[in-house]
Amino acid sequence: MTKEGALHEGTNSDADEKQIIEELNPGERARILRKIDWRLLPLVTLLFLLSFLDRVNVGNAKVAGMSTDLNLTGFKYNIAAAVLFIPYSLAEVPSNIALKLFRPSRWIPTIMVAWGLVMTLMCLVNSFQSLVVARLFLGLAEAGLFPGVNYYICLWYPRSQLSKRIAIFFSAATIAGAFGGLLAYGIENMEGVGGLHGWQWIFCLEGIVTVLVAFLSFFLMYDYPETAKFLTESERVYIVNMLKEDANNLSTHYHIRFVLQAMKDYKTYVQALIYIGLVVPGYAIALFSPTIINDLGYSAANAQLLSVPPFVLGCIATILVGIKSDQHNLRGPYIIGGAFVSLVGYILLYCSVQAGPSYAGACLAALGVFSTVAVDLAWMISNAGGDLKRGVVIAIVIGLGNLGGICSSFIYIDPP
């Protein structure tokens, strides 16, 4: 083919794509995004639900008898809870780079199988030391999931549409908190089955479910819009061009300079500080709500059940705030508002000695803090640049932010 012929063919191709895009009315464009929603969001929400559940179920296990059986007095439980977050800060940047170099449908399920196996084997821990080692390996295996899925979502949607999608995905954290309490309440009745305590069955069963879902994810997860078989040709053209326009011609290929740009950008570390401020109270609620409710005078079983409503409120608030944030194209005011509600909740928890006001404080704290995280992540992702730099920024912010998980692990200390 001559140079002129190739140029003419390229011009015709561009013209055809432009015609396809122009023929799509706003209703059709919204329908395409909804189609992607139904293919992507249920799966990644389930993955994060299992990830968050496996990360914080140690709080339910503690109330279910683990603390007594492993003699977790003083700082021992806090150390076991905190050690998981150390590898989080180290493994997330390499993990997101690996996700860019490999296919998401291979990388994410692979790390999920790894942490699911660790979670399952945690039912065999019989001492404080073995619990710490198991949590360390759990954090190392699981570190790439949260930043990886955030990165994965931003490869499918324009920046103006991210907040509500991340909110739906992040709502899994609150569902996990609620479901974890209900699940722990039921599993505790397996005390003695197979020679295991009820809290050991919490680890075993949740780990087995994680591994099974991971194997299904190898076949159910799609990689990129360009290769998604569920999209028609016209739908694919629209999505690919929309993402190109949204990226404003920023680079999408791998190069070490994009990694260095992300690491040198001061805004990356400003966002990390904001994220730390949200992670500390968030993990504090997730790790200690059963213990706090138990200490209000409720039995261990009732504490598991009463830990559900705060997370249900947090789930509803997370989705509603994410939708409104996209509608108004605002991030900062919603983060400040949610943080203020959470502050009021923590003041109630700190000042009150009565069960009623303290429980109301726990509900407000969960409602406020969980609703801010998705908006903050969307804000950070929208300002991060091209594909690879964005992936590295996400990993740095979430990696450094998870150091806040170490701080929150020491907010509540058991008496010696």
Side-chain angles (χ1 to χ4, degrees):
M1 182 182 293
T2 64
K3 182 177 180 181
E4 290 77 8
L7 181 62
H8 181 68
E9 182 177 324
T11 303
N12 285 342
S13 177
D14 292 341
D16 291 342
E17 290 183 359
K18 186 176 180 181
Q19 183 179 359
I20 290 173
I21 295 170
E22 288 176 349
E23 288 176 353
L24 294 174
N25 58 50
E28 280 291 304
R29 298 179 183 189
R31 182 193 61 78
I32 296 171
L33 288 176
R34 286 196 301 271
K35 186 176 183 179
I36 294 175
D37 289 342
W38 283 109
R39 296 284 184 157
L40 264 63
L41 295 183
L43 179 60
V44 298
T45 301
L46 177 60
L47 300 188
F48 184 55
L49 186 152
L50 293 171
S51 168
F52 198 83
L53 189 63
D54 292 344
R55 198 181 315 169
V56 302
N57 60 11
V58 69
N60 298 109
K62 176 178 182 286
V63 174
M66 181 184 71
S67 185
T68 301
D69 293 335
L70 301 186
N71 192 29
L72 301 182
T73 57
F75 287 99
K76 288 183 178 179
Y77 170 75
N78 307 85
I79 293 170
V83 73
L84 175 139
F85 298 102
I86 297 173
Y88 262 57
S89 305
L90 302 175
E92 295 195 355
V93 172
S95 180
N96 263 18
I97 293 175
L99 185 142
K100 180 64 179 176
L101 294 176
F102 302 102
R103 294 162 58 189
S105 64
R106 293 295 174 264
W107 180 251
I108 291 177
T110 298
I111 63 174
M112 194 173 180
V113 169
W115 99 65
L117 290 173
V118 174
M119 184 81 261
T120 304
L121 295 174
M122 275 181 65
C123 71
L124 302 178
V125 299
N126 56 12
S127 66
F128 163 68
Q129 291 80 4
S130 59
L131 178 63
V132 168
V133 172
R135 292 274 294 174
L136 186 65
F137 278 97
L138 180 66
L140 184 64
E142 194 186 345
L145 190 279
F146 186 48
V149 172
N150 276 284
Y151 184 28
Y152 176 66
I153 288 176
C154 77
L155 298 176
W156 286 81
Y157 297 98
R159 287 170 290 182
S160 62
Q161 299 289 324
L162 281 176
S163 183
K164 58 187 173 185
R165 269 82 187 187
I166 293 177
I168 292 171
F169 149 64
F170 186 75
S171 67
T174 57
I175 297 171
F179 182 68
L182 290 172
L183 190 62
Y185 177 79
I187 294 176
E188 277 189 68
N189 295 322
M190 295 181 67
E191 178 71 30
V193 176
L196 298 177
H197 294 291
W199 62 267
Q200 291 174 302
W201 278 112
I202 292 175
F203 294 148
C204 181
L205 294 181
E206 292 178 8
I208 290 172
V209 171
T210 298
V211 173
L212 292 176
V213 173
F215 278 117
L216 290 175
S217 300
F218 279 106
F219 307 100
L220 298 178
M221 179 171 278
Y222 299 92
D223 290 311
Y224 308 107
E226 294 87 345
T227 58
K229 294 181 179 179
F230 68 89
L231 293 173
T232 65
E233 186 59 33
S234 60
E235 291 169 344
R236 185 178 295 107
V237 167
Y238 167 66
I239 292 296
V240 170
N241 279 274
M242 176 187 63
L243 292 172
K244 284 181 180 178
E245 291 179 6
D246 185 68
N248 197 22
N249 296 319
L250 293 169
S251 298
T252 59
H253 64 282
Y254 174 82
H255 197 285
I256 189 63
R257 75 171 182 272
F258 301 133
V259 178
L260 297 176
Q261 285 175 4
M263 297 177 70
K264 292 178 181 179
D265 192 341
Y266 77 92
K267 295 188 292 296
T268 300
Y269 303 99
V270 173
Q271 286 286 355
L273 286 173
I274 296 172
Y275 189 65
I276 287 175
L278 302 178
V279 163
V280 171
Y283 274 124
I285 283 290
L287 289 170
F288 291 105
S289 58
T291 302
I292 292 170
I293 295 169
N294 188 208
D295 286 351
L296 291 177
Y298 297 97
S299 67
N302 286 335
Q304 303 282 22
L305 290 176
L306 287 171
S307 67
V308 174
F311 291 100
V312 172
L313 290 174
C315 178
I316 295 170
T318 297
I319 295 173
L320 290 179
V321 170
I323 292 172
K324 289 298 180 182
S325 175
D326 273 354
Q327 285 179 351
H328 298 148
N329 199 25
L330 288 173
R331 309 298 188 213
Y334 285 100
I335 295 172
I336 295 170
F340 179 76
V341 173
S342 181
L343 176 62
V344 171
Y346 275 104
I347 290 173
L348 280 173
L349 276 171
Y350 182 78
C351 296
S352 178
V353 293
Q354 296 179 333
S358 295
Y359 187 70
C363 291
L364 286 175
L367 185 153
V369 72
F370 285 119
S371 65
T372 63
V373 175
V375 178
D376 181 57
L377 290 171
W379 192 14
M380 174 261 295
I381 291 170
S382 298
N383 293 303
D387 278 0
L388 183 62
K389 182 182 177 184
R390 186 182 300 177
V392 175
V393 168
I394 292 170
I396 292 174
V397 169
I398 295 176
L400 292 177
N402 274 314
L403 292 174
I406 298 175
C407 300
S408 59
S409 299
F410 289 89
I411 284 177
Y412 190 97
I413 309 295
D414 281 334

